[in-house]
Amino acid sequence: MREAYEWIRDIIIALVIAGTVLLFFKPIVVKQESMQPTFYSDDYIVVSRQAYNLFGDVERGDVIVFKSKLLNEKGEQKHLIKRVIAVGGDTIEIKDGYVYVNGEAIDEPYVAEEGISGEMGSVTVEEGKLFVMGDNRRVSQDSRSPELGQVEESSIVGKVVLRILPLDSIQTF
């Protein structure tokens, strides 16, 4: 009887620990090419669900996972991974192949290819929304697209904090 009690106690403790971890973190497998070379399809990442509740506001350069307006093949909202380029109140423009936020060209060492094809006139990001882009700009469906547009901050699933797999690419963010 005592062994059964200890066994049940250990299971309950494990479930409480797992539940607590999952309250703060969510493991996700990347299924897109839009964030290459930062993330590749089948990379295993961990997002912090509470990053913005506990540690401050969304910042330019953060990599986030969010529920988009786009639907997957099952008719469910797609989760996308993108980089925050501009936050509420910022003005963004794309000209001569470069992204300008509040009139200044931003340094983007993470992009797949230098320069972006196409132009985008000046747009002011609405309060409570974000302008997001993939690091692989040529294939990324992001805030430049009318189908996605600016992203509601409330749709954020979490901030990417860790890549676990592949093992030779473990990295914190």
Side-chain angles (χ1 to χ4, degrees):
M1 181 71 168
R2 182 176 173 148
E3 279 183 32
Y5 170 76
E6 289 176 0
W7 188 76
I8 291 171
R9 181 198 66 200
D10 291 346
I11 289 174
I12 291 171
I13 290 170
L15 290 173
V16 168
I17 291 171
T20 302
V21 167
L22 290 176
L23 176 66
F24 290 95
F25 299 100
K26 178 176 178 69
I28 295 177
V29 178
V30 175
K31 292 293 181 191
Q32 310 162 28
E33 297 176 356
S34 68
M35 284 299 291
Q36 291 177 0
T38 308
F39 299 102
Y40 290 87
S41 190
D42 296 326
D43 279 4
Y44 196 86
I45 61 174
V46 175
V47 299
S48 169
R49 294 178 187 251
Q50 302 298 325
Y52 299 118
N53 294 332
L54 299 174
F55 304 113
D57 296 330
V58 180
E59 296 180 2
R60 287 183 217 104
D62 287 354
V63 179
I64 61 170
V65 173
F66 61 95
K67 288 183 184 179
S68 73
K69 296 183 270 187
L70 306 174
L71 302 178
N72 64 20
E73 57 280 348
K74 296 178 185 173
E76 303 164 336
Q77 285 181 300
K78 269 186 176 181
H79 283 83
L80 298 178
I81 179 173
K82 303 290 180 201
R83 187 175 303 275
V84 175
I85 302 299
V87 298
D90 285 343
T91 300
I92 183 167
E93 181 178 14
I94 300 172
K95 62 182 179 184
D96 301 324
Y98 295 95
V99 177
Y100 293 80
V101 175
N102 301 326
E104 294 186 31
I106 59 173
D107 182 32
E108 299 186 290
Y110 43 77
V111 296
E113 297 177 16
E114 189 172 325
I116 301 172
S117 60
E119 305 274 317
M120 184 184 87
S122 181
V123 173
T124 299
V125 180
E126 298 173 40
E127 289 300 327
K129 294 192 176 184
L130 307 167
F131 194 97
V132 299
M133 296 174 77
D135 292 353
N136 189 356
R137 303 283 163 79
R138 298 204 189 281
V139 301
S140 179
Q141 188 170 16
D142 50 39
S143 290
R144 296 172 291 168
S145 158
E147 292 82 25
L148 183 61
Q150 296 180 21
V151 173
E152 297 278 348
E153 284 189 36
S154 61
S155 69
I156 295 175
V157 173
K159 176 182 178 182
V160 177
V161 293
L162 178 68
R163 175 183 18 236
I164 298 175
L165 294 173
L167 290 174
D168 62 346
S169 298
I170 292 174
Q171 180 179 2
T172 59
F173 293 90

